[in-house]
Amino acid sequence: MKLSYAVLASALFISACSDAPQAPTTRIDQLQQASPPPEMVVKPDFAKYEIVDEKKRAFVAFLKPGVDYINGLIEKARVRLTQLSDTASPTKDDLAFLAKVAELFNLPLPESGADKAWFDEALKRVDIIPSDLVLSQAAKESGWGTSRFAREGNNYFGQWCYTSGCGMVPSARSQGKTHEVAAFKDAYQSVRAYFLNVNRNKAYSSLRDIRADLRKQGKPITGVALSNGLGSYSERGQAYVDEVQGMIRYNEKYWSQG
């Protein structure tokens, strides 16, 4: 199975960190297509839900298809990467695939080509993020879809950008700060930007190390375990991590819904 470049290559990487890598420049029409992503354009008005249980179920029903879709693409990409790590003579198509992975996940290829060290790091980055963690962060950052940034900018994860006009100016922005809260065409773009952020930003390298260790030990990759690597996601550090973990556990019945 081949990585769907069409889905990942167009994802703008937007991070709250000032050292965010450059967004991929490959055009979608130059890449091979995959099955269409889920429709996530018309979003519910989550603020109108009076019953909390119904609002949470609607929120998960809206976002989870996009999360599952991207995780599926990443799993297929991991299979191909693993196969190529044992291939002595990659084809032209294989080399093109590796080049796209290198670009998308901010991992330049060595001049001599992909080696063991490169594949090891690539497999750390090209990996799934449990849906309970993704959805818990989305719920926390967007107030279960009711925040201004979710409603007006389809931003469910609090992603920042640094170019004037790239998003919405937060009302609480301190004097002298220039960041904006990124605006997306639809919720799906916000989800896929989140995946690239967590999977390639050096601020979350500890999360990727935790995930890689779990794989080596043959243990399940859980949202609670990976959340320990999100201390840099918020200025609140460990308090933020504790709250995300609490949300994962408290709302478990929603994360597992179909």
Side-chain angles (χ1 to χ4, degrees), residues 7 12 46 48 78 87 101 119 124 160 182 188 196-197 245 256:
V7 175
L12 291 176
F46 298 109
K48 288 188 176 181
R78 279 187 63 82
T87 300
V101 170
F119 276 111
K124 275 189 176 183
W160 288 4
Y188 178 70
L196 278 185
N197 185 12
Q245 291 178 341
S256 59

Side-chain angles (χ1 to χ4, degrees), residues 13-15 17-24 105-106 196 200-202:
F13 174 79
I14 301 172
S15 167
C17 299
S18 60
D19 60 349
Q22 295 298 310
F105 291 90
N106 195 38
L196 278 185
R200 75 180 204 170
N201 193 313
K202 70 179 183 180

Side-chain angles (χ1 to χ4, degrees), residues 1-5 7-9 69-85 96-109 114 117-130 192 194-201 204-205 207-209 211-213 215 221 226:
M1 294 293 235
K2 294 179 174 139
L3 174 65
S4 167
Y5 306 140
V7 175
L8 292 178
Y69 182 78
I70 295 176
N71 270 328
L73 292 174
I74 290 174
E75 286 179 332
K76 293 172 184 177
R78 279 187 63 82
V79 170
R80 191 173 185 191
L81 276 173
T82 301
Q83 293 171 342
L84 289 176
S85 67
F97 168 79
L98 295 177
K100 297 306 178 185
V101 170
E103 179 190 13
L104 290 171
F105 291 90
N106 195 38
L107 187 63
L109 284 162
W118 187 89
F119 276 111
D120 288 346
E121 182 61 28
L123 287 167
K124 275 189 176 183
R125 300 185 184 205
V126 185
D127 206 343
I128 64 167
I129 304 175
R192 67 188 184 187
Y194 165 87
F195 268 82
L196 278 185
N197 185 12
V198 173
N199 274 337
R200 75 180 204 170
N201 193 313
Y204 312 118
S205 60
L207 178 148
R208 299 191 292 272
D209 288 340
R211 187 171 57 191
D213 287 341
R215 284 201 177 275
I221 297 175
L226 264 59

Side-chain angles (χ1 to χ4, degrees), residues 167-206:
M168 298 166 284
V169 177
S171 58
R173 188 175 72 179
S174 302
Q175 185 175 2
K177 299 291 185 179
T178 60
H179 69 274
E180 298 181 12
V181 177
F184 297 93
K185 180 180 178 181
D186 55 41
Y188 178 70
Q189 290 188 4
S190 180
V191 172
R192 67 188 184 187
Y194 165 87
F195 268 82
L196 278 185
N197 185 12
V198 173
N199 274 337
R200 75 180 204 170
N201 193 313
K202 70 179 183 180
Y204 312 118
S205 60
S206 60

